[in-house]
Amino acid sequence: MKYLIKRNLIIAGVIVIVAVGFITYQLINSSWRIEQQILKRLGDNKEWLGQYDKLKEKIKNNEEKGGKDPAVLISLGFAWKGLGDATHDDYFLKQSLKIYQQGISQFGSQNVIFYWSAGSVANNMGEFEMAEKYYKSAIVAAPTYGEGYTYLAELYRFKMKKNSDEIIKVYNDGLKATEGNTQLFLDKSSYLRAIGRYEESLAGYKDLLKQYPNNKGFAEVVRELEERLKKGSPVD
């Protein structure tokens, strides 16, 4: 009887050791394959390989922090995005997006940078509706921050080609929520100028010039718009 118990214990121990060894092998083999896949994508480009070496340090740092440090996650996501932007390879952008999605899952509205960053990556990937979702979520999470409105308006304007009413609404919503964010006010005035609504644009630039009387750029735009309106000719 004792012999059978001892034998069973030995067999169970062997099974555990084999199972652990198999799992370890699979993990190591999987990591190796991923590494080889990445190196194949990077080729012999020394600049990209250098970026990847720095990225691996950030991966290690993130693992040491248990993936719970928002600053480390943001830095890691930015590193993946940088490699994706350099190589024009969506594989790296997708890795960046995964990191930012992890940050959103963990920190939510506590750190709006994850929403902005996820939107930026989705935008670069051509996933404009996804980018729109993240920028709108950023606005909900931090309605008094102007960046979310700026990013959404630029997305609508340059990528999704939304109509002017929708774009101006984003600016107006942002100006109301932020109590007159200067950058949003400038962006709106510039956009009005770009679409030919010169009188409204001129009013905006005049307000900006009152706030910043020494700004030569604003003064130049005011003079230009006034001259163009007098001549009844379009602004270039």
Side-chain angles (χ1 to χ4, degrees):
M1 185 68 178
K2 289 182 179 180
Y3 168 76
L4 290 175
I5 293 173
K6 185 177 181 180
R7 188 191 67 176
N8 290 338
L9 287 173
I10 292 173
I11 292 172
V14 170
I15 291 172
V16 169
I17 291 171
V18 171
V20 170
F22 178 76
I23 292 171
T24 302
Y25 169 79
Q26 288 291 94
L27 290 172
I28 293 174
N29 190 44
S30 176
S31 299
W32 182 85
R33 279 182 288 148
I34 291 172
E35 176 86 359
Q36 294 306 305
Q37 182 183 12
I38 290 172
L39 292 175
K40 184 178 180 180
R41 290 175 179 274
L42 298 177
D44 58 359
N45 188 300
K46 292 183 179 180
E47 182 180 346
W48 297 349
L49 290 169
Q51 281 184 255
Y52 181 54
D53 284 339
K54 293 178 181 178
L55 189 150
K56 286 193 289 186
E57 293 177 9
K58 294 180 184 294
I59 291 173
K60 182 179 179 182
N61 189 22
N62 184 50
E63 290 173 348
E64 290 172 351
K65 299 288 185 178
K68 296 181 180 179
D69 186 322
V72 173
L73 278 174
I74 290 169
S75 178
L76 177 56
F78 186 76
W80 277 116
K81 181 179 181 296
L83 199 53
D85 290 341
T87 60
H88 302 289
D89 190 331
D90 278 2
Y91 173 85
F92 302 112
L93 292 177
K94 288 177 181 177
Q95 302 310 308
S96 175
L97 186 59
K98 286 180 183 178
I99 295 296
Y100 292 136
Q101 288 171 334
Q102 179 185 339
I104 290 171
S105 177
Q106 289 182 217
F107 303 103
S109 60
Q110 296 177 40
N111 197 321
V112 71
I113 294 175
F114 288 112
Y115 290 106
W116 296 337
S117 300
S120 176
V121 174
N123 190 358
N124 285 10
M125 291 170 60
E127 299 288 346
F128 302 136
E129 290 184 358
M130 183 189 298
E132 178 185 25
K133 181 191 74 172
Y134 283 124
Y135 291 148
K136 285 185 173 181
S137 295
I139 289 171
V140 172
T144 60
Y145 285 35
E147 289 86 347
Y149 304 97
T150 296
Y151 298 147
L152 183 60
E154 289 178 349
L155 178 70
Y156 281 179
R157 182 177 175 183
F158 299 111
K159 299 296 179 65
M160 300 183 79
K161 308 297 182 182
K162 296 277 189 176
N163 64 57
S164 59
D165 288 342
E166 290 180 272
I167 296 169
I168 291 172
K169 184 180 184 304
V170 173
Y171 287 130
N172 288 340
D173 288 346
L175 287 167
K176 182 179 179 181
T178 62
E179 298 184 353
N181 179 280
T182 301
Q183 185 60 52
L184 282 174
F185 194 79
L186 172 59
D187 290 345
K188 179 186 174 183
S189 300
S190 176
Y191 177 66
L192 289 169
R193 179 170 178 256
I195 63 174
R197 291 167 61 166
Y198 306 130
E199 291 184 7
E200 294 171 79
S201 177
L202 177 59
Y205 276 104
K206 282 184 174 180
D207 282 343
L208 287 166
L209 190 57
K210 286 181 181 178
Q211 296 179 53
Y212 303 94
N214 297 321
N215 189 300
K216 294 181 180 179
F218 294 159
E220 179 61 31
V221 173
V222 167
R223 284 194 296 271
E224 181 183 320
L225 286 169
E226 287 177 335
E227 286 298 315
R228 298 286 185 169
L229 285 169
K230 284 179 183 178
K231 295 176 182 179
S233 58
V235 178
D236 297 332

